[in-house]
Amino acid sequence: MNIGPIILVFASIAALIWVSTRRLNGGSSCCGSGEKAEKKVRVADRNPKHYQYHYIANIEGMVCGNCARRVENAFNIQTGIFAKVDLEKKAVYVHSKYEITYADAYKYLNNLPYTLMDIRNNNDF
């Protein structure tokens, strides 16, 4: 009996199990970072009608749900802001209790690998 093929099969199965568990425990994203999913920053008031100012910002570089979560968190961590990303449109809808400028939005995203293309008023929220 040749034991070589049996060892090869078991080694292949072990490698597959190791890769699968590593991916599950380490998270995965299309960004290739292998990091765990970003924890969502929860905003207490998620009703856009409770905010006076409404904006839409175009963001380049978002490619997955983890990217979208990072962008949302960058805005939602700010007091008086509720943001929601539309990944398909590469946009973030920002509802704020105060005016936001391009410089403000740029500052919120400054430590992230995404590019703020523009931010404009969005009265059609």
Side-chain angles (χ1 to χ4, degrees):
M1 174 178 216
N2 192 353
I3 195 162
I6 295 172
I7 291 174
L8 184 61
V9 168
F10 279 118
S12 298
I13 291 171
L16 182 62
I17 290 170
W18 180 77
V19 168
S20 297
T21 57
R22 186 163 182 234
R23 186 175 188 114
L24 289 174
N25 291 335
S28 67
S29 70
C30 63
C31 302
S33 60
E35 59 194 40
K36 290 188 178 184
E38 193 82 13
K39 186 175 179 180
K40 186 173 188 167
V41 172
R42 299 266 181 209
V43 175
D45 186 0
R46 293 185 293 269
N47 185 342
K49 293 180 181 180
H50 295 165
Y51 295 87
Q52 185 176 357
Y53 302 96
H54 308 278
Y55 303 92
I56 184 168
N58 294 314
I59 312 287
E60 287 296 320
M62 295 187 299
V63 293
C64 70
N66 224 14
C67 295
R69 177 80 45 91
R70 284 187 199 103
V71 170
E72 281 181 4
N73 286 348
F75 283 95
N76 288 339
I77 200 163
Q78 311 301 321
T79 303
I81 292 179
F82 168 53
K84 187 73 177 159
V85 167
D86 182 335
L87 188 57
E88 191 173 299
K89 293 181 180 178
K90 306 284 190 218
V92 58
Y93 295 90
V94 181
H95 310 285
S96 177
K97 295 187 178 188
Y98 53 87
E99 289 188 68
I100 297 175
T101 65
Y102 179 90
D104 295 328
Y106 181 85
K107 182 176 68 173
Y108 303 154
L109 297 169
N110 191 35
N111 293 328
L112 298 175
Y114 312 109
T115 304
L116 174 65
M117 302 307 289
D118 66 8
I119 185 166
R120 62 191 182 283
N121 287 326
N122 180 29
N123 296 324
D124 300 326
F125 68 95

